[in-house]
C-alpha cells in the first residue's frame, strides 16, 4: 500500500513540478527569441534605409561594403534585393518566403521559438522604401547559437532544480506515507498473529494519524473482549467437564455395586447403562482435551519430538487383531512437535474404526508433512468439509464408538503447533488425512 501511495504522490508531484518548470522554460525561450528578433530587426531596419537610398541614387557600392563589413563582424549573412527580386548586395540566402512577404510590405513580426534543440538559424526580413512604395528587401540569416547557449543554461538550471525539488518531495512523501501507514502495518501484523492463533497479540503504542490511533485502541478493546469471551467459554467447558467427572464416577461405582442384585432379565439393561456411562466419560475426557488444546494448556499425553515411529509401532497389534495392514514410512527424522504423535493417534484410531477388515492403512512423513492414508469407504466432498467440526458424525456411522471430537481435537492440535490439517480423497477410494507443519525455525536464529 505504501508503494502505491508513493507512486500516486510521485505522479502528482512530477505533474506539479512540470507545470511550473515547463512554462518557465518556454517563457525564457520566448523571451530570448524576442530579444534576438528586436536586435536583428534594428539592424535590418538600418540596412533597409541604406538600401532605399542606394536604389534611389543608383549606387550600391557603399551598401555592398557595409553588408560585407557587417557579415564579417557578426557572422550573419545579409542579402539585399530590389522589388523585382534582383540581387543588389550580399547573398547566400536565396529567394525565401520571408523575403517574398517583405516585398509585399510585411516585416518579420515573429520568429520560430528557439530551444536547445533548434533552429540553428532564423530569417529576419525588412522591406525598404518610403510610405507604401517598396523599393527592395533586406533579409538576414541570423545564427541562434548564442541564444541557444543561454537557453541551455537556463533549461539545465530548471531541470536540476526540478529534480532536486522532486527528490525532496519524494523524501517528504515517503516519510509522510510511512507515518500515515505505520498504524495500518501494525494492525496487519496483529491481525495476522491473531489469525495464526496467538490470541494474546495486541497493537502497541504507534504514532500516526489520530483517527488510526483511535481505530487501534478500539481494535485492542475488541480483541480483549473476544479473548475474554473465549476464555470464559473454554473455562466453562473445562469446569463443567471436570465437575461432571465426580458424579459420573460415583454413578459408575453405584451401578457396579448393584450388579450382585440383578436378575438375569436386567443384565442386558445393566450392560447398556454401563456402556452409555463409559461413552459419557469418554466424551467428557475429549471435551477436557479440546479445552486444554484451545487454551494452549498442554496435552494429557506427550512424547519426545523424535518419538513418532515408536508411538506408531504401538498400533500394529491392534491393527493385526482387526485384520488391517499398517505400513509406516518415516523419511523425515527432524525434531517434531509432540502434538504430531497425538494427531497420528487420532487418525489411526479413526482408521481402525472405519476401515473394514482386509484394508490397508499407511503412515508417511516427509518434508514435515504427515499423511495417513486408508482404502476404506472414505468421505464425499461435503462430508470432508464438515468432518473437522465438533461432534460431527456421518449419517451411516452413528453406531460407531466415539464422541465426534477426534478430528476437531486434531485440527486444534495442528493449529497449536503451527500446522494445518486437511482431509483429502484417496484413489480409488478411501481417505487421506494430511498434516502440514510450518518450516522449522533455525535454532541459531532468534
Amino acid at each position: 500500500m505504501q508503494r502505491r501511495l508513493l507512486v500516486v504522490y510521485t505522479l502528482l508531484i512530477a505533474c506539479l513540478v512540470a507545470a511550473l518548470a515547463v512554462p518557465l522554460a518556454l517563457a525564457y525561450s520566448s523571451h530570448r527569441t524576442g530579444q534576438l528578433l528586436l536586435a536583428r530587426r534594428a539592424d535590418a531596419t538600418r540596412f533597409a534605409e541604406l538600401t532605399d537610398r542606394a536604389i534611389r541614387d543608383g549606387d550600391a557600392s557603399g551598401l555592398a561594403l557595409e553588408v560585407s563589413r557587417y557579415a564579417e563582424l557578426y557572422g550573419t549573412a545579409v542579402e539585399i534585393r530590389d522589388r523585382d527580386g534582383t540581387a543588389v548586395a550580399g547573398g547566400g540566402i536565396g529567394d525565401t518566403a520571408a523575403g517574398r512577404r517583405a516585398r509585399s510590405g510585411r516585416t518579420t513580426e515573429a520568429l520560430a521559438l528557439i530551444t536547445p534543440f533548434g533552429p540553428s538559424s532564423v530569417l529576419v526580413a525588412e522591406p525598404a522604401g518610403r510610405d507604401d512604395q517598396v523599393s527592395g528587401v533586406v533579409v538576414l540569416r541570423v545564427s541562434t547559437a548564442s541564444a541557444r547557449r543561454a537557453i541551455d543554461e537556463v533549461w539545465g538550471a530548471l531541470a536540476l532544480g526540478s529534480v532536486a525539488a522532486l527528490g525532496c518531495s519524494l523524501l517528504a512523501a515517503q516519510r509522510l506515507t510511512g507515518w500515515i501507514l505505520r498504524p495500518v502495518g501494525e494492525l496487519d501484523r496483529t491481525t495476522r498473529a491473531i489469525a495464526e492463533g496467538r490470541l494474546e497479540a495486541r497493537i502497541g503504542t504507534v504514532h500516526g494519524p489520530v483517527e488510526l490511533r483511535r481505530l487501534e485502541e478500539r481494535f485492542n478493546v475488541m480483541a480483549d473482549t473476544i479473548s475474554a469471551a473465549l476464555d470464559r467459554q473454554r473455562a466453562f467447558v473445562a469446569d463443567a467437564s471436570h465437575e461432571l467427572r465426580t458424579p459420573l464416577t460415583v454413578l459408575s461405582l453405584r451401578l457396579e455395586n448393584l450388579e450382585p442384585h440383578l436378575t438375569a432379565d436386567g443384565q442386558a439393561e445393566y450392560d447398556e447403562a454401563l456402556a452409555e456411562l463409559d461413552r459419557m466419560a469418554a466424551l467428557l475426557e475429549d471435551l477436557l482435551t479440546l479445552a486444554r488444546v484451545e487454551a494452549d494448556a498442554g496435552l494429557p499425553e506427550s512424547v519426545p519430538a523424535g518419538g513418532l515411529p515408536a508411538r506408531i509401532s504401538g498400533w500394529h497389534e491392534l491393527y493385526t487383531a482387526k485384520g488391517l495392514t499398517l505400513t509406516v514410512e518415516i523419511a523425515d527424522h527432524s525434531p517434531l512437535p509432540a502434538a504430531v504423535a497425538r494427531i497420528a493417534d487420532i487418525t489411526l484410531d479413526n482408521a481402525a474404526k472405519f476401515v473394514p477388515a482386509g484394508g490397508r492403512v499407511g503412515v508417511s512423513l516427509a518434508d514435515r508433512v504427515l499423511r495417513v492414508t486408508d482404502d476404506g469407504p472414505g468421505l464425499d466432498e461435503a462430508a470432508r468439509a464438515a468432518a473437522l467440526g465438533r461432534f460431527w458424525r456421518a449419517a451411516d456411522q452413528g453406531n460407531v464408538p466415539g464422541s465426534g471430537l477426534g478430528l476437531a481435537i486434531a485440527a486444534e492440535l495442528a493449529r497449536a503447533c503451527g500446522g494445518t490439517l486437511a482431509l483429502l480423497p484417496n484413489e480409488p477410494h478411501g481417505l487421506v488425512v494430511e498434516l502440514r507443519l510450518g518450516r522449522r525455525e533455525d535454532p541459531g536464529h532468534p
Side-chain angles (χ1 to χ4, degrees):
M1 185 175 181
Q2 185 175 6
R3 189 179 295 109
R4 291 194 295 269
L5 283 178
L6 281 177
V7 170
V8 173
Y9 285 155
T10 301
L11 292 176
L12 292 176
I13 295 170
C15 291
L16 179 61
V17 170
L20 294 174
V22 172
L24 285 175
L26 294 178
Y28 184 76
S29 293
S30 178
H31 170 69
R32 288 293 301 180
T33 302
Q35 279 187 329
L36 182 64
L37 175 63
L38 289 176
R40 294 300 175 259
R41 274 188 64 183
D43 295 341
T45 300
R46 186 173 67 84
F47 278 118
E49 293 174 353
L50 294 176
T51 298
D52 182 61
R53 188 181 306 127
I55 291 176
R56 290 181 183 278
D57 295 342
D59 182 11
S61 58
L63 179 61
L65 181 62
E66 188 72 21
V67 167
S68 176
R69 188 181 305 163
Y70 182 84
E72 291 177 1
L73 182 62
Y74 293 103
T76 300
V78 181
E79 185 175 274
I80 299 175
R81 295 175 180 267
D82 60 17
R83 62 184 178 183
D84 297 326
T86 304
V88 176
I93 297 178
D95 189 23
T96 62
R100 291 192 294 271
R101 283 196 303 270
R103 286 200 298 271
S104 65
R106 291 179 293 172
T107 186
T108 300
E109 297 291 344
L111 297 177
L113 185 66
I114 300 174
T115 69
F117 314 106
S120 59
S121 63
V122 292
L123 295 177
V124 177
E126 186 72 20
R130 298 177 181 177
D131 299 328
D132 294 334
Q133 295 181 352
V134 177
S135 59
V137 294
V138 178
V139 181
L140 279 68
R141 184 181 295 279
V142 182
S143 172
T144 61
S146 176
R148 283 192 289 118
R149 281 195 299 271
I151 292 172
D152 281 342
E153 294 175 358
V154 173
W155 279 37
L158 286 174
L160 289 176
S162 299
V163 171
L166 184 61
C168 294
S169 301
L170 286 179
L171 182 61
Q174 186 176 18
R175 295 179 65 88
L176 178 62
T177 54
W179 177 75
I180 292 174
L181 295 178
R182 191 177 294 115
V184 178
E186 184 66 22
L187 181 63
D188 176 66
R189 287 188 290 272
T190 305
T191 53
R192 183 170 63 248
I194 292 176
E196 291 172 353
R198 301 194 296 275
L199 299 181
E200 74 285 353
R202 295 293 182 272
I203 300 174
T205 302
V206 179
H207 299 290
V210 63
E211 295 83 1
L212 292 179
R213 291 203 302 270
R214 284 201 300 265
L215 175 63
E216 290 179 338
E217 293 172 359
R218 292 167 184 167
F219 177 85
N220 283 340
V221 172
M222 178 190 69
D224 289 338
T225 303
I226 294 175
S227 181
L230 289 174
D231 289 341
R232 288 193 298 269
Q233 179 185 4
R234 291 166 183 164
F236 170 76
V237 173
D239 293 342
S241 301
H242 185 271
E243 291 300 324
L244 285 173
R245 274 180 166 180
T246 301
L248 279 177
T249 303
V250 173
L251 183 58
S252 177
L253 290 174
R254 289 183 176 179
L255 283 176
E256 290 176 359
N257 290 333
L258 289 175
E259 186 174 11
H261 307 287
L262 292 176
T263 63
D265 295 336
Q267 186 65 43
E269 294 292 336
Y270 174 79
D271 292 339
E272 289 180 6
L274 282 181
E276 289 296 326
L277 198 61
D278 291 340
R279 180 181 176 185
M280 187 174 294
L283 176 61
L284 287 175
E285 188 63 33
D286 286 343
L287 284 173
L288 278 173
T289 300
L290 184 59
R292 281 194 291 264
V293 171
E294 290 180 339
D296 293 330
L299 302 177
E301 300 177 58
S302 62
V303 295
L308 182 61
R311 185 70 168 262
I312 296 175
S313 64
W315 288 90
H316 281 286
E317 185 177 350
L318 174 63
Y319 271 61
T320 301
K322 287 181 171 288
L324 302 174
T325 301
L326 177 62
T327 59
V328 181
E329 295 180 5
I330 304 296
D332 188 348
H333 297 283
S334 61
L336 297 172
V340 175
R342 176 62 172 148
I343 295 173
D345 284 342
I346 293 173
T347 54
L348 288 172
D349 181 60
N350 281 345
K353 292 176 183 177
F354 300 111
V355 177
R360 301 180 63 86
V361 178
V363 180
S364 64
L365 177 64
D367 297 328
R368 296 180 66 78
V369 177
L370 175 69
R371 293 169 61 90
V372 179
T373 63
D374 65 63
D375 57 0
L379 298 172
D380 59 28
E381 184 176 355
R384 291 196 303 272
L388 295 179
R390 302 177 186 182
F391 302 108
W392 183 86
R393 303 291 295 273
D396 57 347
Q397 296 171 355
N399 59 341
V400 178
S403 62
L405 289 173
L407 288 177
I409 294 173
E412 286 297 328
L413 288 170
R415 180 196 60 77
C417 63
T420 56
L421 191 72
L423 302 183
L424 307 171
N426 192 23
E427 297 297 337
H429 57 82
L431 188 67
V432 178
V433 181
E434 182 180 85
L435 170 65
R436 287 188 172 271
L437 298 172
R439 184 177 61 86
R440 185 167 65 92
E441 296 294 335
D442 187 353
H445 294 77

